[in-house]
Amino acid sequence: MTGRPRTRLDRVRASLGIAQLALQQIEDDLTADDLDASELAAILRELQEDIAHPGGLFPALAQLVSAAARRAEQFEPYRDGVASRSLHEAAAMITDNAGQRMTWAARALEPQGDDT
């Protein structure tokens, strides 16, 4: 292959394109006319728990944002840490807020024997 080598940003853009296609497929499944509450709850649980890939979507996103935060810390040793702190807070919000709310929504649709 001739041409310029792919940059890190090129690889990130390509990976995001793949992720967007996968998320579009999930969105299509979520908007299907024949989707019932039980199946919707199962999909929500899969996004949160993802048995095949421990951690699920939200923890994986939080891990990615946390990696960016740790890297930002290396560039801010004499600054106020606004970038890294903001990224750490965003990661916490993904798991604490989005992930927990996804769990609550799945339980509301189909409790699966939960007592809460």
Side-chain angles (χ1 to χ4, degrees):
M1 178 173 153
T2 58
R4 70 177 179 88
R6 292 178 68 167
T7 67
R8 183 173 287 117
L9 186 54
D10 290 334
R11 291 189 305 272
V12 168
R13 286 179 179 147
S15 296
L16 286 173
I18 293 167
Q20 287 172 332
L21 289 172
L23 291 173
Q24 181 61 54
Q25 178 61 55
I26 295 168
E27 184 178 345
D28 291 347
D29 289 335
L30 288 170
T31 58
D33 290 336
D34 62 342
L35 181 70
D36 63 18
S38 176
E39 190 173 18
L40 176 57
I43 291 170
L44 295 177
R45 284 187 180 94
E46 190 68 19
L47 290 172
Q48 177 59 17
E49 300 166 3
D50 194 358
I51 302 306
H53 299 91
L57 175 65
F58 291 111
L61 288 173
Q63 182 179 352
L64 183 129
V65 174
S66 291
R70 287 188 302 275
R71 186 63 176 154
E73 288 170 356
Q74 296 175 353
F75 298 115
E76 306 183 301
Y78 303 107
R79 297 189 184 116
D80 58 8
V82 170
S84 60
R85 186 172 53 250
S86 295
L87 290 167
H88 281 299
E89 289 171 359
M93 290 175 77
I94 291 169
T95 53
D96 295 347
N97 293 346
Q100 187 59 48
R101 289 175 189 273
M102 185 75 82
T103 299
W104 291 339
R107 285 180 181 162
L109 291 166
E110 183 182 52
Q112 277 193 340
D114 292 332
D115 292 330
T116 57

